C-alpha cells in the first residue's frame, strides 16, 4: 500500500507554521469537539504537560456544531496558555487537507472515552506518526497496549487529565529510535491489515458469506459488519438495527477487530 500522495512543499509550509519554525513539537487532535471524545480532559492534561514541556503545542482540528459552547470550555481548561502559541483551533478540515496535518504533526493524540475502532489512529499509522491513545477495551488487544510490541503510547485511564499529561510527557521524552520502532510496527500493522483495499476485500468476502448462509440472496436478509469486538458497541448497534427492522426481516451481525472479520461473534436475529 502507498502512503497518501502529498505535496511536500505544502506539508513543509504547514509544519513551519504549526511548529513555529521547528520550535514546537506538534500534538494533533482531529475529531469532533465533544465531551465523549475526551477533548475537555485533553485540554486539562495538555496544560499540565505544558508546565514541564514548554516546547509542545496542541493543534485541534474539528468543529463544535454538536456543542457550540464547548470551545469556550476548552479555552477555560487551557487556562493562561496562549492561543496561537501554545495551541490553535483549526476548525473543520477537509479529509484531503487533514492528510497534510497528519504529515506535519509530530504526534497524534486521541483521548476518547470510547471508540468502536479508531479510524483516526489508523490514519496516523499510515503516516508513521506516533499515536497517544486511551487504553479502551475496544482497541486494547488489537493495538497491543499491554505488550512490548505496542503500537501506541498509552493513556492508561479514561476521563483522566493526569493520565493524559503523563502519556504526553512519556511520548515527548521518549528517544527518537524507540518512537520510530513503534511507528514502524504500527505502519506494518496498517499495511498488513488495514489499507482500504484489504479492509474492503474482507468486508466483501464476509458479506457474501453472510448472505450465502441463507442459500440465496433475498430482500429479507440484511448483513451488518460492526468494526468492534466490544460487547457494548455490538449491543448498541444491534439495538439500533433491530429498532428499524421490518417485519420478518432477518439480520446477521458480525464484527471486525482490525485483523479479520470474526465468525465466532457472528449472530443472527
Amino acid at each position: 500500500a502507498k502512503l497518501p500522495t502529498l505535496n511536500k512543499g505544502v506539508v513543509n509550509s504547514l509544519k513551519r507554521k504549526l511548529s513555529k519554525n521547528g520550535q514546537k513539537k506538534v500534538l494533533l487532535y482531529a475529531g469532533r469537539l465533544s465531551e465523549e471524545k475526551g477533548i475537555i480532559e485533553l485540554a486539562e492534561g495538555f496544560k499540565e504537560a505544558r508546565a514541564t514541556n514548554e516546547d509542545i503545542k496542541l493543534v485541534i482540528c474539528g468543529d463544535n456544531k454538536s456543542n457550540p459552547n464547548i470551545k469556550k470550555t476548552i479555552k477555560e481548561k487551557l487556562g493562561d496558555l496562549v492561543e496561537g502559541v501554545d495551541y490553535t483551533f483549526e476548525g473543520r478540515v477537509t479529509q484531503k487537507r487533514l492528510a497534510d496535518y497528519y504529515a506535519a504533526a509530530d504526534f497524534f493524540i486521541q483521548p476518547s472515552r470510547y471508540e468502536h475502532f479508531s479510524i483516526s489512529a489508523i490514519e496516523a499509522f499510515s503516516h508513521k506518526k506516533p499515536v497517544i491513545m486511551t487504553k479502551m477495551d475496544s482497541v486494547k488487544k488489537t493495538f497491543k497496549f499491554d505488550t512490548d510490541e505496542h503500537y501506541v503510547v498509552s493513556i492508561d485511564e479514561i476521563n483522566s487529565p493526569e493520565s493524559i499529561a503523563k502519556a504526553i510527557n512519556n511520548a515527548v521524552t521518549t528517544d527518537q529510535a524507540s518512537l520510530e520502532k513503534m511507528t514502524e510496527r504500527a505502519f506494518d500493522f496498517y499495511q498488513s491489515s488495514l489499507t482500504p483495499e484489504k479492509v474492503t476485500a474482507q468486508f466483501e468476502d464476509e458479506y457474501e458469506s453472510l448472505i450465502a448462509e441463507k442459500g440465496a440472496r433475498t430482500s429479507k436478509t440484511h448483513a451488518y459488519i460492526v468494526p468492534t469486538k466490544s460487547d457494548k458497541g455490538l449491543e448498541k448497534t444491534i439495538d439500533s438495527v433491530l429498532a428499524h427492522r421490518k417485519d420478518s426481516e432477518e439480520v446477521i451481525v458480525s464484527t471486525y477487530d482490525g485483523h479479520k472479520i470474526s465468525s465466532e461473534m457472528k449472530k443472527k436475529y
Side-chain angles (χ1 to χ4, degrees):
K2 295 181 179 179
L3 285 168
T5 302
L6 299 170
N7 183 314
K8 289 185 178 180
V10 170
V11 171
N12 289 338
S13 176
L14 180 61
K15 187 172 182 65
R16 286 193 297 271
K17 172 191 169 186
L18 297 177
S19 69
K20 296 293 181 182
N21 291 316
Q23 297 177 53
K24 302 279 189 178
K25 293 180 181 178
V26 174
L27 280 74
L28 173 67
Y29 169 88
R32 294 194 321 277
L33 305 190
S34 58
E35 292 186 8
E36 67 270 18
K37 293 293 186 180
I39 188 67
I40 303 299
E41 292 82 8
L42 173 58
E44 294 178 278
F46 178 77
K47 180 185 176 184
E48 183 178 335
R50 174 65 178 67
T52 54
N53 293 281
E54 295 186 357
D55 63 342
I56 59 175
K57 180 180 178 181
L58 179 62
V59 174
I60 301 171
C61 294
D63 64 48
N64 60 328
K65 288 183 179 179
S66 62
N67 186 345
N69 296 319
I70 198 168
K71 188 173 178 180
K72 178 182 177 182
T73 304
I74 294 168
K75 287 186 176 183
E76 289 173 352
K77 297 298 183 182
L78 287 164
D80 58 0
L81 297 184
V82 180
E83 184 172 1
V85 177
D86 301 311
Y87 67 92
T88 61
F89 290 95
E90 300 294 301
R92 184 180 181 277
V93 178
T94 65
Q95 195 63 34
K96 182 178 180 180
R97 179 60 169 160
L98 191 57
D100 296 331
Y101 278 85
Y102 278 107
D106 295 290
F107 299 88
F108 174 78
I109 187 162
Q110 184 164 54
S112 299
R113 298 173 182 177
Y114 182 79
E115 293 282 345
H116 287 303
F117 189 72
S118 178
I119 301 301
S120 298
I122 299 307
E123 187 83 5
F125 289 170
S126 76
H127 288 275
K128 296 187 178 181
K129 296 298 176 177
V131 172
I132 307 167
M133 186 178 186
T134 312
K135 185 163 66 174
M136 298 169 283
D137 288 341
S138 56
V139 295
K140 184 167 63 176
K141 183 177 179 181
T142 304
F143 291 171
K144 299 185 177 181
F145 270 85
D146 296 320
T147 75
D148 291 337
E149 297 299 307
H150 55 91
Y151 302 147
V152 302
V153 176
S154 176
I155 300 171
D156 290 332
E157 296 180 25
I158 296 171
N159 295 342
S160 171
E162 295 78 16
S163 288
I164 292 172
K166 181 180 177 181
I168 291 173
N169 287 333
N170 286 344
V172 300
T173 58
T174 296
D175 64 275
Q176 191 61 31
S178 296
L179 285 177
E180 288 177 0
K181 286 180 181 178
M182 184 183 75
T183 57
E184 283 295 337
R185 289 194 299 269
F187 181 69
D188 289 345
F189 169 57
Y190 164 77
Q191 282 197 309
S192 66
S193 304
L194 296 169
T195 62
E197 296 80 9
K198 289 183 181 293
V199 172
T200 299
Q202 288 192 61
F203 273 46
E204 288 177 345
D205 290 346
E206 184 65 13
Y207 188 87
E208 293 292 336
S209 173
L210 291 171
I211 296 299
E213 289 184 2
K214 289 294 294 179
R217 296 186 180 192
T218 77
S219 60
K220 301 288 185 182
T221 303
H222 292 262
Y224 296 84
I225 301 170
V226 186
T228 181
K229 285 192 98 173
S230 162
D231 289 339
K232 181 180 177 182
L234 184 60
E235 288 171 5
K236 282 185 176 180
T237 301
I238 291 169
D239 288 344
S240 177
V241 168
L242 296 184
H244 296 87
R245 176 174 58 173
K246 297 178 180 178
D247 292 341
S248 74
E249 179 182 88
E250 181 179 64
V251 172
I252 306 172
V253 178
S254 188
T255 58
Y256 178 69
D257 71 350
H259 291 288
K260 61 182 179 178
I261 295 169
S262 172
S263 58
E264 59 191 47
M265 285 191 72
K266 192 182 298 180
K267 299 182 181 181
K268 290 184 182 181
Y269 298 85

